[in-house]
Amino acid sequence: MWGMNRLGPSLVAGVAAAAGLFLIQLGAGMTGSGRGWTAFYWILCTVAFSAAGAGSRWEAGRRFGLAVLGVGAVLAGWLELLSEWNRFSAEGMSLLALGLTFVFGGVRSGLFDATANLNPRKAIAAEGVIGLTALLFSGWLSGPAPWGPALSLWGFALVQSLYTCVPSSFLAKPIRSAQAADPFETAFSKLDSMLGESNS
């Protein structure tokens, strides 16, 4: 979804994800269990869509594995820091959303890939701006179930889709210019050229 390389498919997938959450909310009702199912759905979306847009099956599998590890670390911290009572409070859900956004952004941009031709500072800046804007916008759209969580997820997906508009040239490492020639070699070459011209 939001890891796709084109804006159109990313937007369509975002609407589909929001529709899926809406159906879940209808089934779960407006009780506390609704937030539990919402958290589970967020986790599924993070893992599944982190692999979207991969150029090959191997790349998709690698992204999927990184997302699983990242989500596992976020869940471990989330469960450790928060008691069962406040995990599904507004603050607890916000903390989970922040952690999942970090995982998704890191996998999508390649920040967790040491072999990626990526400028880390620019990638972190782009992911930071888009991720925080997405969280703020989705929080502003949030409301009572069943429409609120689905609308919030749609808003998050809408902003995350803007990542497809970031030029790859902006995120890539600058091309290193060729190393300057040795001054002694340059002078020797010029002298040799001058001697050759004078002898001809």
Side-chain angles (χ1 to χ4, degrees), residues 107-124:
V107 175
R108 171 178 63 181
S109 63
L111 283 171
F112 299 154
D113 184 2
T115 64
N117 181 32
L118 190 71
N119 187 321
R121 293 181 180 178
K122 291 184 177 181
I124 291 173

Side-chain angles (χ1 to χ4, degrees), residues 150-176:
L151 187 61
S152 178
L153 181 59
W154 172 81
F156 182 87
L158 179 65
V159 177
Q160 286 287 354
S161 295
L162 296 178
Y163 186 82
T164 61
C165 301
V166 179
S168 57
S169 57
F170 172 79
L171 299 173
K173 290 180 180 178
I175 301 176
R176 295 183 179 180

